[in-house]
């Protein structure tokens, strides 16, 4: 049996892809098709894919041409696959001519004619555009607008802020429309990015969902579990996308770290510890108790992501240890007890500590240096240091483009929508905030 292999992204599957697979199949008796993972495409600079890996695998499967479908997730994998599957022929489109000659050492290499006049890029331009309205014109919103320009099929068209002057200045800066009322904003868009102070999130998210808009809400999302449940219920009832913008959860390095650790690379996970401290002026709104200020409300959402993703949300109990001033926490250490693991985090606006993350396991541990919450690098370390491995990933710009890309994909490809921060995790985060605000198991230092 003569085995042929080929690889691709197969985004917005089209006739060119089909023709290539057909020509590749004709070269032998058995065709293996490697479909790139979302992360691998991000790593090789393909930021604009619209379909996620599941959609792209289904599109290849639907042709009936592939005898076997595998995923391609790292550079150099082609050599491993050719040897592992006993491949006779590597085939790829003529746009790659010469690029894969190094594979001639392992099998025949055939460059097949491309189909002219069609490409995923062309099809992307024909896709609908998600029109986003921004509520809140502060620092994160100022980073969001430029980041959105790096993502396909999305446009920030307008902004709203109760302070009209601030709103006009923001809109002039980014050449977008200034909405003088929420209703005006809703009329102009189909989706809303809530980047207002966190104690206003619940109200704005609810109004946007009631107005039939998809919502991407900055973290921390809301401070009560019942509010989170109500908002998700509203979104589900109206068939809208509701996502929480927690950039850490969408970044390539963090996503791969979680996959690696969940696959058992360091054995059973026994402890997760992470810190996020950002010294803040005492007069800042972030330190104002009347506005839900403090370290927990500002930073706890970051370490809660790896804790809940790696250990789940069914912790047995949680204790908080806080250094308070003017009724807000300058610093809080939280300790979670699980059945067979422990987790802790340190957050601080008035205390500085090392900002790394360490995940300890029965075979080794993961080390993510500061600032772990926006990392492009981590290490997996073992007793035998010769086995240590370092991993490097892209972290482009402000790192917001990854969450924007997921939000847009969720809206344009609803049937495949899954958010990298699940509803369950977001409910659990809101509950942690609620417990803290309710002084449950809170010990003042
Ligand atoms: N193709 C084609 N005609 C087109 C467009 C694409 O023949 N009009 C071919 C490409 O040459 C490639 C395959 O279809 O062989 C898949 O194309 P992409 O999805 O763009 O995948 P690509 O980025 O080329 O990745 O490891 C991945 C491989 O390097 C190919």
């Amino acid at each position: 049996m003569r085995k042929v292999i080929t690889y691709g992204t197969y985004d917005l599957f089209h006739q060119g892809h089909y023709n290539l697979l057909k020509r590749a199949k004709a070269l032998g008796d058995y065709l293996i098709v490697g479909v790139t993972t979302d992360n691998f495409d991000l790593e090789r600079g393909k930021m604009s894919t619209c379909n996620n890996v599941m959609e792209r695998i289904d599109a290849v499967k639907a042709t009936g041409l592939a005898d076997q479908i595998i995923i391609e997730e790292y550079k150099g994998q082609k050599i491993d696959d050719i040897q592992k599957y006993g491949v006779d022929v590597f085939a790829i489109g003529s746009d790659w001519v010469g690029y894969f000659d190094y594979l001639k050492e392992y099998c025949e290499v055939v460059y097949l004619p491309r189909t002219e006049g069609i490409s995923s890029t062309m099809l992307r331009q024909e896709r609908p555009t998600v029109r986003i309205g921004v509520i809140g014109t502060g620092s994160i919103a100022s980073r969001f607008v430029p980041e959105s320009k790096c993502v396909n099929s999305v446009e920030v068209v307008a902004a709203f802020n109760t302070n009209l002057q601030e709103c006009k200045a923001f809109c002039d800066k980014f050449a977008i429309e200034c909405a003088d009322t929420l209703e005006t904003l809703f009329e102009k868009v189909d989706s809303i990015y809530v980047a207002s102070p966190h104690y206003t999130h619940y109200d704005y998210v609810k109004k946007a969902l009631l107005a039939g808009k998809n919502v991407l809400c900055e973290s921390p999302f809301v401070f009560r579990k019942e509010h989170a449940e109500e908002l998700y219920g509203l979104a589900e009832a109206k068939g809208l996308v509701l996502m929480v913008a927690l950039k850490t959860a969408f970044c390539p390095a963090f996503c791969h770290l979680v996959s690696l650790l969940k696959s058992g690379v360091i054995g059973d996970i026994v402890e997760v510890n992470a810190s996020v401290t950002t010294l803040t002026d005492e007069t800042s709104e972030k330190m104002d108790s009347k506005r839900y200020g403090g370290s927990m409300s500002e930073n706890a959402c970051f370490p809660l992501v790896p804790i809940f993703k790696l250990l789940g949300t069914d912790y047995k109990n949680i204790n908080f240890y806080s250094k308070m001033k003017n009724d807000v926490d300058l610093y809080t250490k939280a300790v979670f007890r699980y059945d067979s693991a422990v987790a802790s985090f340190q957050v601080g606006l008035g205390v500085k500590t090392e900002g790394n993350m360490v995940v300890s396991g029965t075979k080794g541990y993961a080390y993510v240096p500061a600032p772990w919450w926006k990392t492009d690098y981590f290490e997996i370390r073992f007793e035998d240091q010769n086995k240590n491995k370092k991993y490097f990933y892209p972290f482009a710009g402000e790192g917001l483009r990854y969450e924007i890309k997921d939000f847009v994909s969720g809206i344009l490809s609803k049937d495949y929508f899954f958010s990298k921060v699940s509803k369950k995790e977001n409910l659990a985060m809101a509950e942690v905030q609620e417990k803290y605000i309710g002084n449950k198991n809170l010990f003042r230092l």
Side-chain angles (χ1 to χ4, degrees):
M1 174 163 69
R2 191 166 154 79
K3 282 190 172 184
V4 183
I5 198 166
T6 189
Y7 295 81
T9 300
Y10 305 109
D11 190 39
L12 299 176
F13 196 84
H14 54 68
Q15 192 60 43
H17 295 141
Y18 183 86
N19 295 346
L20 189 288
L21 293 180
K22 201 155 175 59
R23 289 170 182 148
K25 176 92 180 192
L27 295 173
D29 316 300
Y30 187 90
L31 176 63
I32 303 171
V33 181
V35 180
T36 53
T37 60
D38 299 340
N39 256 350
F40 183 45
D41 277 337
L42 288 179
E43 281 168 42
R44 63 194 191 112
K46 269 193 156 180
M47 260 303 294
S48 48
T49 46
C50 301
N51 301 133
N52 65 38
V53 63
M54 288 316 296
E55 290 172 295
R56 296 185 279 112
I57 286 173
D58 281 359
V60 171
K61 206 181 287 179
T63 65
L65 291 166
D67 297 290
Q68 183 180 358
I69 295 178
I70 60 174
I71 60 164
E72 183 183 31
E73 52 187 336
Y74 62 89
K75 204 157 175 54
Q77 183 181 322
K78 293 180 174 74
I79 296 173
D80 300 340
D81 292 343
I82 288 166
Q83 297 177 86
K84 182 164 59 174
Y85 298 109
V87 167
D88 303 294
V89 184
F90 167 82
I92 199 120
S94 51
D95 44 320
W96 292 96
V97 68
Y99 189 87
F100 292 107
D101 287 356
Y102 68 89
L103 294 175
K104 286 179 178 169
E105 186 184 335
Y106 306 96
C107 67
E108 260 185 76
V109 173
V110 176
Y111 296 104
L112 295 163
R114 256 178 84 83
T115 304
E116 295 315 323
I118 187 161
S119 72
S120 306
T121 309
M122 285 164 63
L123 295 176
R124 273 182 212 117
Q125 274 133 23
E126 291 162 20
R127 291 221 324 161
T129 298
V130 172
R131 296 166 56 76
I132 292 184
V134 178
I135 297 180
T137 55
S139 65
I140 190 80
S142 303
R143 284 179 274 155
F144 183 91
V145 179
E147 283 280 301
S148 67
K149 296 195 187 315
C150 306
V151 179
N152 263 54
S153 312
V154 65
E155 186 187 353
V156 175
V157 298
F160 167 80
N161 178 338
T162 44
N163 178 322
L164 206 49
Q165 204 169 348
E166 273 180 28
C167 189
K168 282 193 184 315
F170 182 89
C171 295
D172 290 349
K173 179 179 177 188
F174 294 111
I176 59 176
E177 291 182 63
C178 175
D180 50 358
T181 67
L182 267 185
E183 290 63 35
T184 316
L185 182 72
F186 291 157
E187 283 159 16
K188 297 175 186 299
V189 300
D190 52 58
S191 302
I192 291 288
Y193 171 57
V194 176
S196 52
H198 33 254
Y199 59 92
T200 66
H201 286 177
Y202 168 68
D203 184 47
Y204 280 135
V205 171
K206 186 168 182 176
K207 283 179 176 150
L209 291 170
L210 288 171
K213 309 302 170 186
N214 300 295
V215 174
L216 174 63
C217 180
E218 254 313 317
S219 51
F221 178 32
V222 290
F223 293 107
R224 288 170 61 183
K225 184 175 179 180
E226 66 175 340
H227 281 176
E229 280 167 335
E230 178 194 354
L231 295 175
Y232 270 104
L234 199 48
E236 285 151 14
K238 294 170 81 75
L240 295 167
V241 169
L242 170 58
M243 253 177 68
V244 176
L246 243 169
K247 69 179 177 190
T248 306
F250 297 85
C251 294
F254 182 82
C255 291
H256 201 178
L257 172 66
V258 170
S259 311
L260 272 174
L261 296 181
K262 302 275 281 184
S263 73
V265 72
I266 60 170
D268 297 334
I269 296 172
V270 178
E271 176 167 16
V272 178
N273 178 271
S275 295
V276 179
T277 58
T278 42
L279 284 183
T280 305
D281 189 288
E282 286 192 7
T283 58
S284 153
E285 186 180 82
K286 292 176 182 175
M287 301 284 265
D288 179 349
S289 61
K290 289 186 291 304
R291 295 162 170 254
Y292 285 87
S295 309
M296 273 293 293
S297 63
E298 189 63 28
N299 287 338
C301 50
F302 291 104
L304 284 172
V305 174
I307 289 172
F308 286 159
K309 284 205 172 298
L310 295 170
L311 298 175
T313 56
D314 300 329
Y315 53 90
K316 297 301 156 222
N317 73 18
I318 176 172
N319 288 315
F320 301 101
Y321 304 89
S322 291
K323 178 175 179 54
M324 310 294 284
K325 185 173 181 182
N326 305 330
D327 231 4
V328 295
D329 60 318
L330 295 179
Y331 177 85
T332 294
K333 182 179 183 78
V335 183
F336 299 70
R337 188 171 67 77
Y338 284 82
D339 270 341
S340 48
V342 64
S344 56
F345 66 71
Q346 295 78 226
V347 287
L349 297 179
V351 172
K352 195 67 194 159
T353 182
E354 175 57 50
N356 61 16
M357 172 163 76
V358 176
V359 182
S360 311
T362 51
K363 289 183 188 161
Y365 71 96
Y367 173 73
V368 191
W372 67 268
W373 56 90
K374 51 182 186 178
T375 194
D376 56 1
Y377 160 76
F378 61 83
E379 292 184 37
I380 303 289
R381 297 176 175 171
F382 300 95
E383 189 58 46
D384 171 1
Q385 295 192 9
N386 298 317
K387 290 184 184 165
N388 288 3
K389 286 186 81 172
K390 297 182 176 178
Y391 296 80
F392 300 85
Y393 294 86
F395 183 90
E398 295 286 344
L400 301 181
R401 60 193 71 182
Y402 304 109
E403 67 192 33
I404 297 170
K405 183 175 167 346
D406 268 46
F407 183 52
V408 171
S409 297
I411 293 164
L412 296 180
S413 321
K414 273 218 172 57
D415 12 1
Y416 285 92
F417 176 61
F418 68 99
S419 174
K420 290 205 172 71
V421 189
S422 70
K423 169 181 172 181
K424 190 175 176 203
E425 287 158 349
N426 278 316
L427 294 187
M429 282 189 224
E431 191 174 41
V432 168
Q433 295 285 2
E434 187 171 355
K435 283 178 177 172
Y436 185 75
I437 292 164
N439 294 331
K440 198 166 165 15
N441 296 351
L442 170 54
F443 304 93
R444 286 176 167 73
L445 304 178

